[in-house]
Amino acid sequence: MLDSYTLYFASIAVIVVMTFLNILTWRTNKQTPGTLIYIFYPVLMLCAVVAFALVSSSHNLLVINAACSLMFAASIVHCFAISQFLDYRGPGFKLLCSVTAFSAMVFGYYSFFDPSLAGRVIASDLQHISEALFLLFIFIKYARKPYPNGSIVYITILTLVVLAFIARSIFMNEIEQKDLVSSSWFSTVLFLNGIIAPMFYAAGMALLCNERREHHLNTLADKAQKDLEIRGLFLSTISHEIRTPLNGILGSAQLVMNQTSDTHSKAYCEAIINSAESLNLLVDKVLEYASLDQSDEALYEEDIEFKTWLNNLCLLLSPLAEQKQLKFELICNIPEQACYYCDQQKLRQIIINLVGNAIKFTDRGVVKIQVDLVLEKQLEHTIKVSVKDSGPGIENEEIAYLTEPYVQSSAGKEKGGTGLGLAITSRLLEKLGSRLEISSQLGTGSVFSFTITFALGELSLVEQRHQTKDYLTGLDVLLVEDLDLNQKIAIEFMADDEHKIKLAKDGKSAIELMQAHHFDVVLLDMNLPDLTGQEVLKRLKRLDHKNQRTPVLAFTASLSPDEVKEYLALGIKDIVGKPIKHQKLRQALSDSQSNQTTNIAVELIDTLYDKTAIETLASSFSEDEVSSIYNEFVLSARNKLIRCQNLIDQHPEQCIKLLHRQASTALQLGFNRYGMELKKIERRLLDNKPHNGMLDEALDLWQRSLEKYLKFVRSELG
């Protein structure tokens, strides 16, 4: 073992370094409790060690007592600083102060009244053991979980200090003053407490401060995340709070417009309806844009056959262009069987946004999607997707700002909108590692494009289409449906099978399209805003049109035995029941082209809430869209039933329309028993039968259905 003089000087050097490190720790953690006080611990220790080193040969009791007092004071400062850091306010610190005061008195007694070296050593050891035990207690109980790394350092050295001082108290025999410095126990404890411990303490405090800072940063990050969630919840809640009165405004305006014959009043009603619909669109876009801030999920990349995927997407978009009588084209210059790994949901939304904009701002001419292979490597392809239109074009100075939220071009201000579509598209492209490029020429049109690199997928992993021809693909279909939700689901399902779809939202449009175009099959909603499906078929029999032999499928939730007989008597080939099921729709379309016997059976589980309905929606909508659809329906259902009660006697026609839309949506969302109850009320009103109390029963049924749905939601969240 080294001699005590060498250990004293080594201890002084280490404590000086500890003081310097403590000052640096305090400078970077000035707001942390205890770090400033901790600087004084090595300063007092340094003074004490210097004093002990100076009198180690002279044995001056006054200096020894002063040095011991400095050592005890350093111990108190040490424990007080750690207590401040850990915010410890228990009785342990007061108990330590009491033990330290007692040890100081005992040390003084054995120095001046009954001189005894062994007594002074035991008094000193008692204080050091008390200090170490107190610190061990608060680190194990209060610091181990929040500060695991710093606690390990402190617990390790404090355990060694406790064991060393206990061992010295027990095993160090009676010794003379002149032999104290040369004692191996004295040297061992001096080495541990004067050299090793200060290094551990300095490192431990630095680790504690780092962990505290990291914990603080994590807390801030969690708070920021919670703030984002709260903001999203607020936006979602306020949007529904806005939509509820909006529904009332829209409904009231439509009701007034239908009842009045004054052209001025009708014009005002139309202005109210247009304004309310614009506000509704703004709410939707704001929510979508805000969700991009909240969403930081990883890309969900799938292996898809890209050209086929694009063709199916265009089948979905083409009805929108045809409604404006625009030519819609897809030019795909990539290998026929190219398969890419990509996040198809985000890419799909980007292309739909760009094509939707192009169709909106183009009044005549063409809208075109062009896909070119820019760079071909062994394991990846870089492609450029361009959406071109023959619209009015955009001013050059406006192009730079179009991707900013709420900014619109001159044409955009004329057409209306939120100014968020391109901002959302730009943000989605950033997530995919690309960016939106815009070029335009006034009077000629615009090109919105982006370049993106995809890893090549394995063709063997691509889900191949059925080759056995057990169902038909590529039919020309006329879809006659007024409800947006059912439109989108049906179009999505039929686009999967490459059917070409034209869309009509009312009976008059359906008749005009059937006079102008030939279709392989017609999907006809039997309850339209202007005509019933039966009236559409009866009018067609009196007209010359191109679909005399075209099979018609009833697209309806009205499936009472009398109604089914009426459909068949009108020559309807088959019935596609609502809620829409993919397999039933696919089979009905295939069977329509053959002489196969009609299968009228529609499977509908008699339950308050059918949780399988959400699977149908998930195939056509994103998770956020599904949530929004359910939230809007759930929040408005009771108000719409109350509105039906107000309309049912004075305005039964309006009540029937509202019941029809509510029933169709309820069935599609899985509220089967409630939806069927609304259909019964609708049928009784159409037949002029008594309806006393049926809406009150429907309200009670809705409450029970809502409870069942909320129970399902809680189980999913749990």
Side-chain angles (χ1 to χ4, degrees):
M1 179 62 69
L2 295 172
D3 65 273
S4 57
Y5 295 105
T6 304
L7 291 174
Y8 274 130
F9 288 116
S11 178
I12 290 168
V14 169
I15 292 172
V16 168
V17 173
M18 180 187 180
T19 305
F20 179 69
L21 290 175
N22 282 0
I23 292 172
L24 293 178
T25 300
W26 167 75
R27 283 190 63 188
T28 54
N29 301 274
K30 289 185 178 180
Q31 304 302 318
T32 304
T35 52
L36 179 61
I37 299 170
Y38 203 72
I39 295 173
F40 295 97
Y41 167 61
V43 172
L44 292 170
M45 282 285 293
L46 180 63
C47 295
V49 171
V50 169
F52 278 126
L54 292 175
V55 300
S56 59
S57 57
S58 63
H59 313 303
N60 187 318
L61 289 177
L62 286 174
V63 177
I64 288 173
N65 271 268
C68 186
S69 297
L70 288 169
M71 188 79 73
F72 288 177
S75 172
I76 295 298
V77 168
H78 188 197
C79 294
F80 181 66
I82 297 297
S83 298
Q84 288 281 303
F85 184 91
L86 298 177
D87 196 26
Y88 171 74
R89 302 179 186 278
F93 182 70
K94 293 180 181 178
L95 180 61
L96 172 68
C97 292
S98 301
V99 172
T100 300
F102 175 75
S103 298
M105 289 188 293
V106 171
F107 195 93
Y109 176 81
Y110 284 119
S111 295
F112 302 109
F113 299 100
D114 184 14
S116 169
L117 177 61
R120 293 199 300 274
V121 170
I122 289 173
S124 176
D125 290 352
L126 175 64
Q127 198 285 327
H128 284 97
I129 292 169
S130 301
E131 174 196 5
L133 288 174
F134 168 73
L135 291 175
L136 272 174
F137 165 71
I138 63 174
F139 269 102
I140 290 172
K141 186 166 184 179
Y142 299 104
R144 192 160 48 88
K145 288 184 179 178
Y147 309 105
N149 296 326
S151 296
I152 289 172
V153 172
Y154 264 95
I155 289 170
T156 301
I157 189 60
L158 290 170
T159 303
L160 293 175
V161 168
V162 168
L163 294 175
F165 277 105
I166 290 175
R168 187 172 81 168
S169 300
I170 295 172
F171 297 112
M172 188 172 176
N173 299 320
E174 288 290 334
I175 191 170
E176 296 294 328
Q177 184 71 48
K178 60 184 177 62
D179 300 323
L180 178 63
V181 175
S182 60
S183 167
S184 60
W185 279 109
F186 182 85
S187 300
T188 300
V189 172
L190 178 59
F191 175 72
L192 181 63
N193 202 44
I195 298 175
I196 302 298
M199 291 191 291
F200 271 74
Y201 292 152
M205 177 53 72
L207 281 172
L208 288 174
C209 288
N210 284 339
E211 288 180 295
R212 188 186 185 95
R213 190 161 56 247
E214 183 180 351
H215 179 69
H216 180 63
L217 290 174
N218 289 338
T219 302
L220 289 177
D222 290 342
K223 184 179 181 301
Q225 183 61 35
K226 286 179 181 177
D227 287 345
L228 278 175
E229 291 171 1
I230 290 170
R231 187 179 74 176
L233 181 61
F234 169 77
L235 286 171
S236 177
T237 303
I238 201 67
S239 73
H240 294 304
E241 292 299 324
I242 291 171
R243 282 192 181 113
T244 300
L246 264 181
N247 289 333
I249 293 168
L250 280 166
S252 300
Q254 289 168 354
L255 186 60
V256 172
M257 188 169 69
N258 290 336
Q259 290 178 347
T260 186
S261 57
D262 182 35
T263 55
H264 287 90
S265 297
K266 283 193 174 184
Y268 290 134
C269 288
E270 287 177 358
I272 293 170
I273 292 168
N274 290 336
S275 298
E277 288 177 344
S278 296
L279 182 56
N280 210 9
L281 178 63
L282 176 62
V283 170
D284 287 337
K285 289 296 183 182
V286 168
L287 281 175
E288 187 177 358
Y289 185 76
S291 70
L292 292 176
D293 281 336
Q294 292 178 264
S295 178
D296 194 28
E297 79 277 6
L299 296 179
Y300 182 68
E301 296 188 320
E302 301 173 81
D303 186 9
I304 61 172
E305 192 175 347
F306 198 73
K307 199 164 186 177
T308 302
W309 179 84
L310 272 175
N311 280 321
N312 291 343
L313 184 57
C314 288
L315 288 172
L316 180 67
L317 295 168
S318 58
L320 301 175
E322 288 178 2
Q323 280 190 317
K324 291 191 70 175
Q325 297 182 338
L326 299 174
K327 186 178 180 183
F328 184 67
E329 297 179 1
L330 169 64
I331 301 172
C332 197
N333 299 317
I334 60 172
E336 194 66 33
Q337 299 297 325
C339 298
Y340 301 136
Y341 283 107
C342 66
D343 188 326
Q344 61 169 313
Q345 291 301 326
K346 288 185 175 61
L347 191 62
R348 172 195 185 91
Q349 187 176 354
I350 290 164
I351 295 175
I352 287 175
N353 283 356
L354 294 177
V355 173
N357 263 4
I359 293 172
K360 176 181 178 181
F361 294 109
T362 304
D363 293 323
R364 61 179 181 274
V366 64
V367 172
K368 183 189 302 183
I369 301 177
Q370 183 167 329
V371 183
D372 297 306
L373 181 60
V374 177
L375 181 63
E376 183 175 2
K377 293 185 179 179
Q378 186 175 1
L379 296 176
E380 64 183 29
H381 283 179
T382 300
I383 65 171
K384 183 174 183 178
V385 180
S386 304
V387 176
K388 305 178 180 181
D389 65 63
S390 57
I394 307 166
E395 297 279 359
N396 287 333
E397 57 269 21
E398 293 178 340
I399 290 176
Y401 304 102
L402 280 182
T403 56
E404 296 296 321
Y406 310 109
V407 173
Q408 292 177 291
S409 66
S410 302
K413 292 172 183 175
E414 292 176 9
K415 292 284 186 179
T418 63
L420 282 171
L422 289 179
I424 291 168
T425 301
S426 182
R427 296 287 292 277
L428 287 169
L429 281 170
E430 286 176 11
K431 289 179 179 289
L432 296 179
S434 183
R435 66 185 182 88
L436 184 63
E437 298 173 358
I438 306 172
S439 62
S440 184
Q441 187 173 348
L442 287 175
T444 302
S446 306
V447 179
F448 294 81
S449 62
F450 59 91
T451 302
I452 191 165
T453 300
F454 292 132
L456 288 176
E458 294 291 334
L459 185 59
S460 59
L461 298 179
V462 177
E463 182 182 353
Q464 298 296 316
R465 281 176 187 74
H466 296 264
Q467 302 296 329
T468 58
K469 300 296 182 184
D470 55 351
Y471 64 86
L472 296 177
T473 60
L475 297 176
D476 287 313
V477 181
L478 173 61
L479 172 63
V480 188
E481 169 63 52
D482 63 313
L483 196 62
D484 291 342
L485 178 63
N486 288 338
Q487 285 173 13
K488 181 162 185 180
I489 293 171
I491 290 173
E492 290 266 1
F493 285 165
M494 290 190 284
D496 281 347
D497 296 337
E498 302 179 17
H499 298 308
K500 301 178 184 68
I501 306 123
K502 287 189 183 295
L503 177 65
K505 293 188 176 183
D506 54 46
K508 184 179 178 182
S509 300
I511 292 170
E512 290 174 354
L513 285 171
M514 291 179 75
Q515 287 178 302
H517 304 279
H518 175 266
F519 299 99
D520 295 319
V521 62
V522 176
L523 266 174
L524 177 63
D525 184 5
M526 304 308 289
N527 294 87
L528 294 163
D530 55 348
L531 302 170
T532 65
Q534 294 92 322
E535 289 171 336
V536 170
L537 292 173
K538 289 174 183 177
R539 290 193 184 190
L540 284 170
K541 286 183 179 179
R542 299 195 297 266
L543 297 173
D544 184 27
H545 60 91
K546 298 183 178 182
N547 294 275
Q548 301 287 351
R549 297 182 178 277
T550 299
V552 177
L553 308 182
F555 197 38
T556 182
S558 301
L559 295 167
S560 67
D562 290 341
E563 288 169 315
V564 170
K565 288 179 183 176
E566 184 180 5
Y567 300 154
L568 296 177
L570 288 168
I572 284 175
K573 172 78 173 177
D574 198 352
I575 297 175
V576 178
K578 298 176 184 176
I580 309 165
K581 301 295 182 183
H582 195 178
Q583 193 55 44
K584 171 59 181 174
L585 177 59
R586 170 181 281 169
Q587 195 63 50
L589 290 172
S590 290
D591 292 347
S592 71
Q593 306 303 301
S594 68
N595 295 321
Q596 190 163 337
T597 305
T598 300
N599 177 20
I600 301 297
V602 177
E603 295 181 9
L604 189 64
I605 304 171
D606 182 22
T607 182
L608 290 172
Y609 177 67
D610 180 7
K611 61 185 180 182
T612 62
I614 203 166
E615 297 173 5
T616 300
L617 290 176
S619 65
S620 303
F621 297 91
S622 68
E623 186 177 342
D624 288 341
E625 287 175 322
V626 171
S627 177
S628 178
I629 290 167
Y630 270 99
N631 288 343
E632 184 170 353
F633 181 79
V634 166
L635 289 171
S636 64
R638 185 175 182 83
N639 289 340
K640 288 183 178 178
L641 271 181
I642 292 170
R643 189 168 162 229
C644 284
Q645 287 180 322
N646 296 332
L647 293 171
I648 195 166
D649 293 321
Q650 300 298 322
H651 306 286
E653 300 84 3
Q654 293 293 325
C655 184
I656 288 169
K657 288 181 180 180
L658 185 56
L659 284 170
H660 173 68
R661 296 179 71 85
Q662 279 291 93
S664 295
T665 306
L667 291 170
Q668 195 62 57
L669 298 185
F671 298 103
N672 293 357
R673 198 173 295 170
Y674 173 64
M676 292 310 299
E677 182 66 20
L678 296 185
K679 295 300 299 182
K680 287 179 185 176
I681 300 171
E682 178 192 357
R683 174 46 55 186
R684 292 189 75 83
L685 290 176
L686 288 168
D687 295 341
N688 293 316
K689 292 182 178 179
H691 53 77
N692 298 337
M694 291 188 73
L695 280 175
D696 291 329
E697 293 174 9
L699 270 171
D700 178 66
L701 182 58
W702 166 245
Q703 190 59 39
R704 289 188 284 126
S705 301
L706 180 60
E707 290 171 3
K708 183 80 171 180
Y709 167 69
L710 293 176
K711 184 178 179 182
F712 165 74
V713 171
R714 284 193 292 271
S715 68
E716 289 294 299
L717 293 174

